[in-house]
Amino acid sequence: MTSEKINLMSMSPQELSEFFVSMGEKSFRAQQIMRWIYQFGVTDFDEMSNLNKVLRAKLKETCVVTAPEIVTEQKASDGTTKWALDIGDGQLVETVLIPEADRNTLCISTQVGCPVKCAFCRTGAQGFNRNLTVNEIIGQVFRAATRVGFSKNEEYKPISNVVMMGMGEPLLNLQNVMKVCDLLLSDYGFALSKRRVTVSTSGVAPVLNKIAGKLDVALALSLHAPDDELRNKLVPINENYNIKEVLDSVRNYIDKSNANCGRVTIEYVLLDHVNDSTEQAEALVKLLRTIPCKVNLIPFNEHENSEFRKPSNSRIDRFYKVLFDAGFTVIKRTTRGDEISAACGQLAGQVKDKLNKQKEIESVQV
């Protein structure tokens, strides 16, 4: 019986170095391999010309470099592209590329479904199956790069920004997410600036406190309500970690971060006649007065079987004005890719639900 080959795309930079040392090789071989994979898109060991023939033969015998395969591609009229990737067992996860004049932003998934089950989110409605592995997460970036191109030009990166805002709660897959961040930031990996990698969270306060000073990437908090009573309904994890606990942990994180330039991004999905009144805007101003932040207002992206609706432009404008007049930096996010269900909150993939309850959140190891 032959043992299963080792997938080098499942390793962090540190693990790769240790792996090559264990083979009797110099640790710099890890840097060479990473450049071939993540900067040139090469997965065939025979094409890695700066590795000697003996090492290449050894790697072919014991290792592979594989990422989940793209099974469908959809492209919207605004250029937004959504890919569904096969992660086995009949399940798919979705990844979205959002092109802009000065950047290409890739939104990636970290779990198969999502256990947080925000009331308005299509991903949560699909249920939850498991955490994605390192190669399944970084593989999304790799597959997207194979479509838009790899570049040897340090001044031009076809994928310039990566946001963990797709399917799943990144902080509930902490170990793998941190390894992926290492690959994204490494000079021998995708070599992105720490300010161009964003982890979005619904507010897993103990984990935020744990990684403060250890992980330094941009942070976005999905808030969506100005008080605990409403947030308990919209974002059920709030029953575990209330707004005060979450904001305290956010402040702790950004105090120890260079990537955030001293402030967090607050994500706020506007739901018609639910959380979008001027009174709620005023409550949000009061809540965030001592939190260095910018606020992204996201008009709800409607999807099938949802009871929520997008507010009118006038309600959105009034909410925006309250925050703006209070001195906040406020952005009204332009909806991208909604015609292919690629907009915020619309990703669904194909999930075999294993957990319909919240106990996996309650028992998260921190």
Side-chain angles (χ1 to χ4, degrees):
M1 179 182 293
T2 58
S3 59
E4 185 175 350
K5 290 187 177 182
I6 299 166
N7 188 353
L8 298 185
M9 200 177 278
S10 67
M11 296 186 191
S12 69
Q14 179 63 33
E15 288 171 335
L16 268 173
S17 293
E18 293 170 356
F19 173 73
F20 279 101
V21 170
S22 73
M23 292 177 66
E25 297 285 339
K26 299 293 186 182
S27 62
F28 72 83
R29 294 298 188 191
Q31 299 169 358
Q32 293 176 317
I33 287 282
M34 286 174 61
R35 291 197 69 198
W36 282 114
I37 298 170
Y38 301 118
Q39 297 183 5
F40 304 147
V42 173
T43 60
D44 184 342
F45 297 122
D46 283 333
E47 295 180 26
M48 299 180 182
S49 56
N50 58 352
L51 304 183
N52 62 62
K53 289 183 179 180
V54 173
L55 176 55
R56 276 182 272 166
K58 193 185 300 185
L59 289 172
K60 284 193 291 182
E61 184 179 342
T62 60
C63 302
V64 292
V65 178
T66 59
E69 297 286 347
I70 293 174
V71 293
T72 64
E73 175 179 298
Q74 295 174 277
K75 193 164 186 176
S77 56
D78 64 9
T80 299
T81 302
K82 181 173 76 170
W83 295 289
L85 293 92
D86 183 0
I87 48 98
D89 194 28
Q91 300 186 107
L92 306 175
V93 294
E94 294 183 330
T95 300
V96 177
L97 182 71
I98 306 166
E100 299 176 73
D102 61 342
R103 70 183 67 183
N104 276 333
T105 299
L106 187 70
C107 178
I108 64 175
S109 298
T110 56
Q111 295 182 307
V112 190
C114 184
V116 177
K117 303 185 189 304
C118 294
F120 50 83
C121 182
R122 190 178 177 212
T123 303
Q126 292 290 100
F128 174 77
N129 187 278
R130 64 174 173 86
N131 287 331
L132 290 176
T133 62
V134 172
N135 72 291
E136 289 168 342
I137 302 173
I138 201 67
Q140 295 169 59
V141 188
F142 178 84
R143 290 299 181 199
T146 62
R147 296 299 175 97
V148 302
F150 289 86
S151 174
K152 298 180 184 180
N153 182 354
E154 288 298 316
E155 300 300 316
Y156 171 71
K157 295 186 185 300
I159 295 174
S160 58
N161 297 64
V162 174
V163 296
M164 297 185 191
M165 296 182 179
M167 299 169 63
E169 164 55 65
L171 296 190
L172 294 181
N173 188 9
L174 180 62
Q175 184 177 18
N176 291 340
V177 163
M178 291 186 73
K179 291 179 183 179
V180 168
C181 286
D182 285 344
L183 292 168
L184 293 172
L185 300 177
S186 170
D187 289 340
Y188 304 99
F190 283 100
L192 296 179
S193 160
K194 62 179 67 176
R195 296 177 185 176
R196 293 182 177 270
V197 176
T198 301
V199 169
S200 177
T201 180
S202 56
V204 191
V207 179
L208 267 178
N209 285 326
K210 179 180 180 178
I211 62 176
K214 298 178 183 177
L215 178 67
D216 191 12
V217 295
L219 180 68
L221 172 66
S222 296
L223 188 60
H224 311 313
D227 60 78
D228 284 320
E229 181 179 3
L230 178 58
R231 196 166 192 264
N232 286 345
K233 298 175 183 176
L234 297 179
V235 187
I237 198 173
N238 197 73
E239 295 182 0
N240 298 80
Y241 317 113
N242 64 34
I243 289 177
K244 182 182 184 306
E245 289 179 84
V246 171
L247 292 181
D248 284 346
S249 67
V250 165
R251 188 184 289 106
N252 182 41
Y253 181 89
I254 62 175
D255 281 349
K256 298 175 181 177
S257 166
N258 292 317
N260 288 276
C261 299
R263 64 178 182 174
V264 65
T265 298
I266 299 294
E267 307 280 355
Y268 195 101
V269 171
L270 289 166
L271 306 165
D272 187 36
H273 287 83
V274 175
N275 65 350
D276 64 340
S277 70
T278 54
E279 292 79 12
Q280 287 165 318
E282 290 164 356
L284 188 61
V285 166
K286 184 176 180 181
L287 177 69
L288 298 177
R289 181 67 75 185
T290 62
I291 305 294
C293 64
K294 65 178 180 180
V295 182
N296 273 353
L297 296 180
I298 308 168
F300 177 62
N301 297 302
E302 297 182 6
H303 53 86
E304 59 187 14
N305 302 323
S306 175
E307 63 187 61
F308 299 104
R309 294 293 175 262
K310 175 183 175 181
S312 65
N313 288 336
S314 61
R315 290 184 71 85
I316 294 171
D317 290 342
R318 285 195 293 270
F319 197 97
Y320 172 94
K321 188 175 186 304
V322 170
L323 295 171
F324 182 82
D325 288 349
F328 285 88
T329 300
V330 194
I331 299 167
K332 283 187 286 186
R333 186 182 293 179
T334 302
T335 297
R336 299 288 300 272
D338 57 324
E339 68 193 79
I340 57 170
S341 296
C344 179
Q346 291 185 329
L347 299 189
Q350 188 168 309
V351 179
K352 292 184 177 180
D353 187 15
K354 282 189 176 180
L355 295 169
N356 279 311
K357 299 180 181 180
Q358 294 297 307
K359 64 182 179 181
E360 68 276 5
I361 293 175
E362 297 166 5
S363 63
V364 64
Q365 297 298 308
V366 297

